[in-house]
């Protein structure tokens, strides 16, 4: 087990982690706190402030004041870029403590956080910061008899509700374009995994981000999250999470006419044709469902396999999945950590049980590891089921190390199986025939179609969903930057 960084030890030794509001660390006005458990051991490692509507009021007020008075929204874009680049540099400097906190919070292997999630945050900051420097914010409009132009200005206070599966990564994906555009932000991180968002505030303060520009209120979703979504003082809302909660967020924002961005769940599919390298594809897709213990909204959990290679593919995948090293996130040998909580473990196991009850074939039986070394942690072994596309496990998001396998005989049947889903986040097609690959990629209904790969995220390529998977814009692309700038026309009659 890796020794904790001194900054992590210092943070966890505090009696409770406080909100970050207006540049200050403050406790919940109620005085209440929430326990934070290490998913790998089930033990409490610290506590966070249990925020509610009063704390959200304070954070929104601080963000509104900072938008008007701190100079953040009006400073030259190059000056703002200097501060954000400094913040990106500090994130790179503090990769180790951030990664350890993320591993302790979520349970994911340390290497995934250290070499994937945390560096991606600094890369995202730099991408949007550089984009902001090179973006024209005023464009002339050619109309007869008038001098006219369109300008783009920041909205004001942008609110973010972050999920627990990739908390620091999604803080980066969320707030980077908003900050680069000149907005101020209020973040409600997940109650299960708030530590890296709070550490991010420490670095922002050190980087010189003005007080009140970044605010974090920790707490339960039904209290702090709901209060933030329905607050009349916000100007834009972004939520990442389940469709069920997304509907509630949209309703709250609709009442205040606040534009909302929803990044929701998924039931991704992978179509595998019979001309693929079976072993390579099985290894890649097994890696996809064990990444972050399968707690990835866009991952491929429906494997639609050509009937002629079905047996070989399943044999190869079960061999790979059976050998995955399961353990604590801070153990260097761990390939897959626990799920986030006992509640989530029960959800995953409950879905698999329901799938079996509905007649699914058990291709690889998962469940709770029987080794004593896993006592106390929230571990789940990978599972594979197969059978009817009407099975609950083929239709609903399980959000664990799991996939449902279905055969197909021709291209049209495969596409139909994909598009039966009410979700629409990300799918992939696997074939050596690039003409077919592109044809199928365009036919699958989703925000993202990948070819011979899955879970592909590149700065500059928009990532979004449709149907139950989201609305209101995506992330990672240039369009997201403009989501945080509102258009305004300036017109002067000539004569």
């Amino acid at each position: 087990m890796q020794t904790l960084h001194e900054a992590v030890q210092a943070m966890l030794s505090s009696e409770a982690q406080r909100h970050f509001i207006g540049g200050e660390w403050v406790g919940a006005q109620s005085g209440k706190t929430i326990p934070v458990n290490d998913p790998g051991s089930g033990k409490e490692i610290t506590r966070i402030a249990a925020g509610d509507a009063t704390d959200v009021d304070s954070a929104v007020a601080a963000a509104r004041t900072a938008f008007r008075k701190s100079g953040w929204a009006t400073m030259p874009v190059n000056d703002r870029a200097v501060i954000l680049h400094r913040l990106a540099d500090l994130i790179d400097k503090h990769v180790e403590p951030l990664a350890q906190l993320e591993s302790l919070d979520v349970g994911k292997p340390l290497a995934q956080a250290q070499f994937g999630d945390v560096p991606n945050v600094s890369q995202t900051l730099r991408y949007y910061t550089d984009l902001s420097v090179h973006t024209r914010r005023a464009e002339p409009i050619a109309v007869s008899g008038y001098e006219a132009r369109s300008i783009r200005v920041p909205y004001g206070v942008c609110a973010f509700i972050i999920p627990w599966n990739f908390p620091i990564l999604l803080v980066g994906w969320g707030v980077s374009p908003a900050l680069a555009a000149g907005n101020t932000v209020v973040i409600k991180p997940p109650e299960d995994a708030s530590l890296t968002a709070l550490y991010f505030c420490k670095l922002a303060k050190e980087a010189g981000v003005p007080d009140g520009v970044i605010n974090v209120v920790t707490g339960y979703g039904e209290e702090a999250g709901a209060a933030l979504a329905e607050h009349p003082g916000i100007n834009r809302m972004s939520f990442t999470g389940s469709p069920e909660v997304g509907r509630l967020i949209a309703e709250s924002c609709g009442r205040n006419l606040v534009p909302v961005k929803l990044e929701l769940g998924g039931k991704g599919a992978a179509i595998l044709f019979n001309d693929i390298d079976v072993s390579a594809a099985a290894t890649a897709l097994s890696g996809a469902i064990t990444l972050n213990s399968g707690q990835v909204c866009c991952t491929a959990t429906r494997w639609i396999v050509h009937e002629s290679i079905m047996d070989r593919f399943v044999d190869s995948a079960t061999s790979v999945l059976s050998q995955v090293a399961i353990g604590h996130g801070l153990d260097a040998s761990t390939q897959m950590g626990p799920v986030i909580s006992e509640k989530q473990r029960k959800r995953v196991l409950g879905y698999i049980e329901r799938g079996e009850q509905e007649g699914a074939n058990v291709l690889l039986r998962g469940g709770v590891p029987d080794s004593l070394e896993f006592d106390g942690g929230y571990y789940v072994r990978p599972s594979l089921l197969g059978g009817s596309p009407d099975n609950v496990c083929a239709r609903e998001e399980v959000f664990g190390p799991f996939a449902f396998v279905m055969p197909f005989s021709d291209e049209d049947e495969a596409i139909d199986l994909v598009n039966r889903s009410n979700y629409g986040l990300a799918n992939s097609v696997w074939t050596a025939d690039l003409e077919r690959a592109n044809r199928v990629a365009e036919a699958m209904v989703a925000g993202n179609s990948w070819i011979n790969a899955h879970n592909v995220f590149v700065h500059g390529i928009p990532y979004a969903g449709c149907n139950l998977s989201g609305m209101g814009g995506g992330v990672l692309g240039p369009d997201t930057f403009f989501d945080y700038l509102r258009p305004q026309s300036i017109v002067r009659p000539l004569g």
Side-chain angles (χ1 to χ4, degrees), residues 169-308:
L169 177 73
L170 294 180
V171 164
W173 284 14
V175 306
S176 295
L179 293 173
N183 298 281
T184 59
V185 303
V186 178
I187 305 167
K188 208 299 284 185
E191 61 266 24
D192 290 314
S194 295
L195 300 182
T196 47
L198 295 170
Y199 199 95
F200 177 83
C201 295
K202 171 183 177 292
L203 301 182
K205 180 93 169 176
E206 185 178 342
V209 176
D211 292 346
V213 169
I214 298 174
N215 306 272
V216 170
V217 176
T218 58
Y220 292 112
E222 59 268 27
E223 296 174 2
L228 182 58
E230 64 190 21
H231 202 289
I234 65 173
N235 302 103
R236 227 187 185 294
M237 179 77 222
S238 175
F239 168 78
T240 304
S242 70
E244 294 76 19
V245 178
R247 288 190 179 97
L248 299 176
I249 300 291
E251 289 173 9
S252 296
C253 291
R255 284 191 290 270
N256 292 327
L257 299 180
V258 170
V260 59
K261 178 193 294 285
L262 301 176
E263 302 292 333
L264 307 177
K267 191 65 178 174
I271 297 178
L272 298 111
F273 286 93
N274 59 358
D275 59 351
I276 62 170
D277 181 326
V278 171
S279 177
T283 299
L285 288 172
S286 296
I289 67 165
T290 55
L291 174 70
N292 205 34
S293 301
Q295 300 165 128
V296 183
C297 54
C298 60
T299 204
T301 58
R302 292 181 294 153
W303 294 352
I304 300 169
V305 185
H306 193 274
E307 58 190 10
S308 67

Side-chain angles (χ1 to χ4, degrees), residues 404-441:
F404 196 91
V405 188
M406 295 172 280
F408 75 92
S409 59
D410 60 51
E411 182 177 311
D412 289 341
E413 182 186 8
I415 293 170
D416 178 67
L417 286 170
V418 172
N419 291 343
R420 287 187 185 191
S421 176
N422 292 323
Y423 289 97
L425 189 52
N427 302 310
S428 58
V429 53
W430 301 70
T431 176
D433 183 340
L434 291 183
E435 181 179 345
R436 176 168 61 187
N438 283 288
R439 183 173 64 244
V440 172

Side-chain angles (χ1 to χ4, degrees), residues 27-146:
Q29 294 186 40
S30 68
K32 296 179 180 178
T33 60
I34 300 170
V36 177
N37 294 330
D38 168 13
S41 66
K43 297 178 181 178
E44 182 177 317
I45 54 174
T46 187
R47 302 183 76 86
I48 57 172
D52 57 24
T54 56
D55 302 290
V56 170
D57 281 341
S58 297
V60 172
R64 292 185 69 83
T65 298
F67 185 73
R68 295 194 312 271
K69 298 181 179 180
S70 72
W72 183 255
T74 56
M75 70 173 58
V77 65
N78 284 348
D79 293 350
R80 192 161 55 236
V82 168
I83 297 172
L84 291 177
H85 270 286
R86 191 181 301 140
L87 175 55
D89 291 343
L90 283 170
I91 291 170
D92 287 341
K93 183 178 177 181
H94 289 255
V95 165
E96 185 177 355
L98 279 166
Q100 288 185 357
L101 288 170
E102 194 79 337
S103 179
L104 285 170
D105 246 353
V106 182
K108 66 181 61 185
L110 180 63
Q112 180 189 316
Q114 189 166 4
F115 301 108
D117 298 7
V118 178
N120 194 287
V121 175
S122 59
Q123 293 163 14
T124 304
L125 264 171
R126 292 189 182 99
Y127 169 74
Y128 281 111
T129 298
D130 293 345
L131 185 62
S132 73
V133 171
H134 297 101
T135 296
R136 292 181 58 174
R137 301 205 184 191
E139 295 287 345
I141 303 173
V143 290
S144 179
Y146 298 89

